[in-house]
Amino acid sequence: MSETGRIARRFAALKAEGRAGLVTFITAGDPDHETCRAVLEGLPEAGADLIELGMPFTDPMADGPAIQAAGLRALKAGAKTKRVLELVADFRAKDQDTPVILMGYYNPIYSYGVERFLADAKAAGVDGLIVVDLPPEEDEELCIPALKAGVNFVRLATPTSDDARLPAVLKNTSGFVYYVSVAGITGAASASDAAVAEAVARLKRHTDLPVAVGFGIKSPEQAAAVARVADAAVVGSAIVSRVAANLGEDGVPKPRLVPDVLGFVRQLAAGVRGART
Amino acid sequence: MTIPNTFRAGPDEHGHFGIYGGRFVAETLMPLILEVEKAYNAAKADPDFQAEMTERLKQYVGRPNPLYFAERLTERLGGAKVYFKREELNHTGAHKINNCIGQILLARRMGKTRIIAETGAGQHGVATATVCALFDMPCVIYMGEVDIARQQPNVFRMKLLGAEVVSVTSGARTLKDAMNEALRDWVTNVADTYYLIGTVAGPHPYPTMVRDFQSVIGDEVRWQMQELEGRLPDSLVACVGGGSNAMGLFHPFLDDQGVKIVGVEAAGRGLDKGPDDHAASIAGGRPGVLHGNRTYLLQDEDGQILEGHSISAGLDYPGIGPEHAWLNDIGRVEYASATDQEALDAFQLCARTEGIIPALESAHALAEVVKRAPTLPKDHLMVMCLSGRGDKDIFTVANELGVKL
């Protein structure tokens, strides 16, 4: 399948520049709608090449403490699926080029209604979906409808996706492949550089799609190490932790929150951009 | 909806009961889920596995347990002849051990060396810790902080049995969060760890496997009733949280159209009070996806999962096994509900008329028996699953009755 759309264009541009991309994850509506919007709108200028926007869920089974807490903060502040899509639409009005991928769990989407969700997401300017609890065995639920609606469905490949299983994992994947470098939850341990390089090489034997690597990347140095071997490095928990670090005891954001978070993204971007020079 | 020729053939190869069930898990777990399915199918067909299971249930669990005619209760209610299936007489005091024996044998067969489980009331945790002690495997039990506070005796039992009890402080700090935390452990330790799920929920093949291991309940009732009364029962009643004791009792009778089947959900402070005041997923929820399967869930309009409430920690879960969801939709099983108060009343009635202190979970089933039996003729044979004993609940009940222990 020939790839079109913002995600494919962005990876093509990165390839032309001869560098890997930085994928940043933040949770939609964390710590509140307006603060999140300010962070989101500042991400491209700070050096995010692609943006993953987490859809809050009460029961995030694959996430570690940092992203769990972010989701609960967002829900407490009134996050709804509709509001998440509004964030994307507002962002898209100002930025036509940076891909936005929604990442979350299936139930809020199922509850919203798959067809309606895909139509609204597409209209808001969403480019792709990562839905943690939809393996290839459940492709009929959302993956196939998403592809038909022109929304990329980005699959997670993991250390347990062996050569026998990879074809099934990759079959309906589009946009890029997200390699989860460790078996575990978000924000936990990180894999060794050698293990990541080997895994990326193995994925590349099975697919022409770009490979982004995430889980456990916390510093510009780690991001740079991944950027040397993969097409993109994904950073989530470490960014979300910066949001948490800038909240007062009452949960109210401190004035430095937005510049501090974006400053950290700038450091990550510098790491990624300098990796292959 | 078309009525199938048999209600006992499900699920299909993808683990679906109608639209329910499935395998909604992270990719990291998928290869292992497929391995569990393969290993279970092989074990099911292996006479040695079945023979060991039968022997352990007999020698260690104490099966078969009695199908007991509750004579004084029957007189008191003045209608149907009420029988109790005495699962509370099993070793560890509840039906949970039936499933644990089956799954620990499977885990051993798969070469797994570490067991994890979630628990709400602590009954499944105790049963899991028990079989882990018996088979000498390290055991980690995830339990919500709130449940730990209200089920202290079971927490100490698990520790005595050598298990590590991890207090879960995320989310609502009850059973659903314990399950989230167990899944997080599993995804991190996927190579050596077996997740011993305690109810007929979770990704395929768990709902089917747990049902099969619990079906010993209904299978025994079938021949016991034949011995006692020379025929099948007329109705079956069981409480439903996730629904494993109920599926175990119901499944062998699903194709006997003359047998009326009733599941009892926890109505908490009342179904009309609010979505966070009960734990009746079918009566007050709608289909959604959580913990690996599609089923009825308590959720808000945005698909966020609600906490639910029941006086009984074992029923306090916002979902229900997918096969129950299907049996409800297709009309084969009727799902009723009982409030905290009705369960408390039934709890005391059982203690005083039969000399049996039931688990608060089982007291929900009994509350339905109390409503239903008086309206039925004296030759109506009603079987209630007395799924667990109530020793663990005496502190909760004392508190509700205003008694200081």
Side-chain angles (χ1 to χ4, degrees), chain A residues 12-104:
Chain A
L14 289 168
K15 195 172 183 183
E17 283 182 49
R19 69 174 179 92
L22 173 65
V23 185
T24 57
F25 173 98
I26 57 171
T27 297
D30 172 37
D32 59 67
H33 191 81
E34 289 310 320
T35 307
C36 180
R37 181 157 68 178
V39 173
L40 182 60
E41 288 177 357
L43 284 174
E45 190 274 326
D49 297 301
L50 294 91
I51 295 171
E52 284 180 12
L53 193 57
M55 300 172 70
F57 184 47
T58 40
D59 294 81
M61 285 89 73
D63 284 303
I67 295 177
Q68 287 175 41
L72 292 180
R73 286 195 296 269
L75 289 171
K76 204 174 163 195
K80 305 266 180 220
T81 302
K82 195 163 160 287
R83 298 281 278 162
V84 174
L85 297 176
E86 281 168 21
L87 273 177
V88 180
D90 289 350
F91 173 83
R92 193 53 80 215
K94 297 184 177 172
D95 184 314
Q96 293 297 315
D97 303 317
T98 307
V100 175
I101 297 110
L102 293 182
M103 182 166 185

Side-chain angles (χ1 to χ4, degrees), chain B residues 273-293:
Chain B
K273 287 289 187 293
D276 267 333
D277 284 305
H278 64 79
S281 316
I282 286 183
R286 63 175 201 282
V289 173
L290 180 71
H291 293 153
N293 61 158

Side-chain angles (χ1 to χ4, degrees), chain A residues 59-60 107 111 138 141 165, chain B residues 23 27 184 286 289 294:
Chain A
D59 294 81
N107 199 53
S111 172
E138 303 291 350
E141 295 283 338
R165 180 153 175 88
Chain B
R23 286 179 287 218
E27 174 58 28
R184 289 180 189 123
R286 63 175 201 282
V289 173
R294 179 174 8 242

Side-chain angles (χ1 to χ4, degrees), chain B residues 99-284:
Chain B
N99 166 50
C100 289
I101 292 280
Q103 287 199 53
I104 197 97
L105 291 174
L106 183 69
R108 192 184 60 176
R109 194 182 160 100
M110 290 175 71
K112 299 295 177 185
T113 54
R114 176 176 176 267
I115 303 293
I116 59 171
E118 83 295 337
T119 196
Q123 292 303 94
H124 175 57
V126 167
T128 303
T130 298
V131 296
C132 287
L134 181 65
F135 286 85
D136 192 24
M137 285 205 215
C139 172
V140 179
I141 305 290
Y142 288 93
M143 188 167 185
E145 195 179 29
V146 170
D147 290 334
I148 284 183
R150 60 179 170 178
Q151 300 288 349
Q152 275 298 319
N154 272 344
V155 174
F156 188 59
R157 275 187 196 106
M158 288 183 262
K159 288 180 179 168
L160 281 176
L161 292 160
E164 180 190 345
V165 180
V166 178
S167 174
V168 177
T169 56
S170 59
R173 298 171 290 137
T174 58
L175 180 53
K176 82 175 173 73
D177 307 284
M179 202 152 177
N180 291 335
E181 213 55 44
L183 284 163
R184 289 180 189 123
D185 179 316
W186 205 22
V187 88
T188 308
N189 300 295
V190 67
D192 66 347
T193 298
Y194 182 88
Y195 182 13
L196 206 163
I197 296 182
T199 192
V200 285
H204 177 65
Y206 281 94
T208 306
M209 176 166 67
V210 177
R211 173 200 75 195
D212 291 348
F213 289 144
Q214 291 293 0
S215 287
V216 64
I217 301 172
D219 287 337
E220 282 178 14
V221 166
R222 226 183 149 83
W223 65 255
Q224 288 173 319
M225 192 58 102
Q226 200 69 39
E227 270 186 17
L228 290 162
E229 300 275 359
R231 66 181 181 89
L232 292 181
D234 297 301
S235 62
L236 308 172
V237 182
C239 66
V240 183
S244 69
N245 90 86
M247 271 319 304
L249 175 64
F250 298 171
H251 195 258
F253 293 97
L254 290 176
D255 284 337
D256 298 293
Q257 286 296 332
V259 181
K260 167 86 183 167
I261 305 181
V262 184
V264 186
E265 295 190 296
R269 291 180 279 260
L271 294 178
D272 53 349
K273 287 289 187 293
D276 267 333
D277 284 305
H278 64 79
S281 316
I282 286 183

